[in-house]
Amino acid sequence: MKKIVFMGTPDFSVPILRSLVEDGYNIALVVTQPDRPKGRKKIMTPPPVKLEAINHNIPVFQPEKLADNYQEIIDLQPDIIVTAAYGQLLPKPLLTKPEFGCINVHASLLPELRGGAPIHHAILQGKTDTGITIMYMVEKLDAGDILTQEKVAITDNDNVGTMHDKLAKTGADLLLNTLPRLFRNEIIPVQQDHEKSTFASNIKREQEIINWNRSNKEIYNQIRGLYPWPVAFTFYQGKPMKIWSAELDNNEYNGVPGEIVDSINKESLVVVCGNKQAVKLTEIQVAGKKRMTVKAFLLGSPDRLQVGTKLGGTLD
């Protein structure tokens, strides 16, 4: 039985680790990020993968900086290291130690969307498909040779949450398909076409702000491409207002970008975009309030967010 060290951190990694355990693989160690303070009370919270490892009685190692603290992994002499959204680059001595190398489960069709937020960027860019790539890890980010790939469709109703779950399952299944063939030396790795590479860097605060001068399709992609985290927002009366969900409205309107031009049955707010078409906001969160449907908000605050209200603004 091959000895595996698994490295991962967020929810995306959990079904991948679980599938390895349930398939009978020998997981000698789980490496994950340290516990971090979370929430308003700053309670120290373990990463999801740590909880999954504990459930299966797998030892856990949580170095703050892997580049300075990896000898424990080398001492285990793993046959292979499997990573999935671990969150740190592996130092060169680790990359070269295991007999079957270090492989990564990445949530894109490489060489497209290298980096830490490939699911977000696939939707933000309006792509109709993305996928999973299992590849060898190298010193350069997500640039190793490809072992296997599988495409996953993105529907118009998908968001980061739904695609996260689909890709995590696909990643788990593809890994279980890949490992036996890798151990039998049946896979011929394929070099990436580096000239076609694109990057999906972590989402910055300014990327969450809705620019109503963009087309309704672009804004709709932004809203679902940032849901359920970190969530797109606009400004209402100078304060941030989160947009949790919306629908496309391809009718044409005469308002200016960011203007509310209709409130259909008081269940949605029709906001004009730069191409004169609109998005219908259906779930919002104004400053100081809880997340709620537009219908609930308008019932509680009928004099706010009326037809003619202008949304929008920028960070100071």
Side-chain angles (χ1 to χ4, degrees):
M1 178 65 70
K2 299 292 188 292
K3 186 188 296 182
I4 296 176
V5 167
F6 183 86
M7 304 176 71
T9 298
D11 288 324
F12 179 80
S13 318
V14 172
I16 298 171
L17 170 61
R18 185 181 301 147
S19 70
L20 290 172
V21 174
E22 291 177 348
D23 218 53
Y25 281 99
N26 173 21
I27 311 299
L29 180 69
V30 165
V31 183
T32 187
Q33 299 278 8
D35 296 4
R36 303 290 189 200
K38 194 173 181 180
R40 291 184 178 179
K41 295 183 178 179
K42 304 295 182 184
I43 297 174
M44 292 299 288
T45 305
V49 163
K50 179 180 180 179
L51 298 177
E52 185 69 17
I54 291 172
N55 286 339
H56 298 289
N57 297 314
I58 302 171
V60 176
F61 179 46
Q62 296 178 274
E64 184 70 42
K65 191 174 181 182
L66 185 67
D68 298 332
N69 189 2
Y70 54 81
Q71 190 59 44
E72 181 175 340
I73 303 171
I74 289 179
D75 292 344
L76 271 175
Q77 299 183 326
D79 296 297
I80 188 170
I81 293 176
V82 177
T83 72
Y86 169 57
Q88 294 188 44
L89 291 174
L90 273 58
K92 188 174 181 179
L94 269 187
L95 293 173
T96 57
K97 279 291 179 183
E99 177 185 354
F100 292 93
C102 300
I103 66 173
N104 181 42
V105 182
H106 185 77
S108 84
L109 296 173
L110 293 172
E112 287 190 342
L113 301 178
R114 295 174 177 175
I119 304 175
H120 290 81
H121 284 273
I123 298 175
L124 288 170
Q125 294 175 20
K127 291 183 178 295
T128 56
D129 57 51
T130 182
I132 289 289
T133 301
I134 296 180
M135 59 162 186
Y136 280 125
M137 299 189 73
V138 294
E139 289 185 86
K140 190 176 179 181
L141 181 66
D142 299 332
D145 292 352
I146 294 171
L147 297 169
T148 51
Q149 267 187 340
E150 185 166 333
K151 187 178 290 187
V152 179
I154 304 174
T155 71
D156 285 344
N157 293 323
D158 275 318
N159 54 51
V160 167
T162 61
M163 288 308 301
H164 170 279
D165 294 347
K166 290 180 186 180
L167 290 166
K169 183 180 185 309
T170 300
D173 293 344
L174 186 60
L175 181 63
L176 293 185
N177 175 274
T178 302
L179 282 178
R181 296 166 56 205
L182 181 65
F183 293 149
R184 293 195 298 264
N185 294 313
E186 294 176 353
I187 299 176
I188 299 174
V190 177
Q191 187 177 27
Q192 294 187 42
D193 185 344
H194 301 296
E195 292 186 356
K196 293 183 178 178
S197 65
T198 60
F199 288 87
S201 56
N202 292 332
I203 301 297
K204 298 177 181 175
R205 181 69 169 164
E206 54 266 31
Q207 291 175 290
E208 301 168 22
I209 304 171
I210 294 174
N211 176 356
W212 294 103
N213 290 307
R214 303 177 76 193
S215 73
N216 65 330
K217 182 67 174 177
E218 289 173 317
I219 292 172
Y220 177 66
N221 289 340
Q222 182 183 12
I223 292 169
R224 67 194 185 105
L226 298 178
Y227 178 89
W229 75 93
V231 183
F233 69 93
T234 184
F235 290 91
Y236 167 58
Q237 295 182 339
K239 296 181 179 178
M241 182 178 88
K242 291 184 176 181
I243 309 299
W244 286 91
S245 67
E247 299 172 3
L248 264 182
D249 182 346
N250 291 325
N251 295 309
E252 292 201 0
Y253 296 92
N254 291 322
V256 298
E259 182 181 354
I260 296 173
V261 292
D262 201 353
S263 174
I264 300 174
N265 298 324
K266 295 186 176 180
E267 292 185 350
S268 63
L269 298 169
V270 179
V271 185
V272 177
C273 304
N275 61 345
K276 293 297 183 183
Q277 295 177 327
V279 291
K280 294 192 295 187
L281 310 186
T282 55
E283 194 173 8
I284 60 176
Q285 184 175 7
V286 300
K289 298 284 187 179
K290 293 181 179 180
R291 167 185 176 179
M292 63 182 74
T293 63
V294 164
K295 182 177 183 179
F297 179 84
L298 293 180
L299 284 173
S301 306
D303 57 335
R304 299 172 71 184
L305 291 173
Q306 299 172 330
V307 171
T309 297
K310 179 80 164 37
L311 303 176
T314 58
L315 291 172
D316 293 333

